[in-house]
Amino acid sequence: MSPSQPVPPRPAADAPAPPPPGPSPVLAEVVRSGFVEGVHRGSVVVLEADGSVAWSLGEPDRPVFPRSANKPMQAAAILRAGLDLAGERLALAAASHSGEPFHLELAERMLTEFGLSVDALQCPPDLPLDPVEAEQYLASGQVRRPLTMNCSGKHAAMLAACARNGWPLDSYLDPAHPLQLLVRETVEAAAGEPVAALGTDGCGAPLMALTLPGLARA
């Protein structure tokens, strides 16, 4: 800055912080009887085949917790750990199940094949996700169990992968566990970006934040 130019004043120590970004754009409206009773705001991104951004709206680079959208990537890590998953087993490991009897039977079978019981599951006890299944389950006198929680298939696959590799079973949800380190490596490789934040999902498993472009690439 030359001597002839005025020196801009420094902000006061107690100057207010810059305002936060404005609200995200409205993506959907909730309409009842022709009346808009609510709106949903958020961000959208569309990618080219090469993974570059073709179009976006809102703040697509703002990291989010993808919740169950992370499950296919977690299942990919379980495959990388050497667990033989295909067909209905892979589907159960990569998605939320509705708690139908054949879901529960398969999750339990995936455990018993490695000498494990349902007591090894560390997902929280819950009712079947499907309302009809939940009603029938309660009518039969059953109570909430980890096995009936909608993520028990993923947890059963995680435990089976740990048993196959000789990894600790009681700490399989610890972010520093060999399986969870492999999950993080797989998530970052699939997304093409580092995990922005680490949290805990409702099922107790580590939850890894990504941007929308990263999630879409994965």
Side-chain angles (χ1 to χ4, degrees), residues 179-208:
L179 177 64
Q180 300 305 335
L181 292 176
L182 180 58
V183 170
R184 180 166 186 159
E185 178 185 319
T186 303
V187 168
E188 292 181 333
E193 66 182 38
V195 167
L198 192 65
T200 304
D201 206 350
C203 71
L207 185 59
M208 301 171 189

Side-chain angles (χ1 to χ4, degrees), residues 113-166:
E113 288 172 350
F114 285 89
L116 305 174
S117 75
V118 294
D119 294 335
L121 293 170
Q122 293 183 23
C123 47
D126 204 351
L127 296 174
L129 186 63
D130 181 82
V132 174
E133 293 295 333
E135 289 178 5
Q136 295 177 348
Y137 185 78
L138 290 172
S140 67
Q142 300 289 336
V143 297
R144 296 172 186 267
R145 293 189 298 160
L147 181 64
T148 47
M149 200 266 175
N150 69 87
C151 295
S152 66
K154 177 183 77 176
H155 282 248
M158 286 183 171
L159 282 164
C162 291
R164 182 192 182 281
N165 288 278

Side-chain angles (χ1 to χ4, degrees), residues 23-28 40-46 53-62 212-213:
S24 299
V26 174
L27 303 182
H40 292 280
R41 298 179 179 274
S43 302
V44 179
V45 68
V46 178
V53 175
W55 178 83
S56 66
L57 187 66
E59 300 177 273
D61 291 327
R62 187 176 184 178
L212 287 189

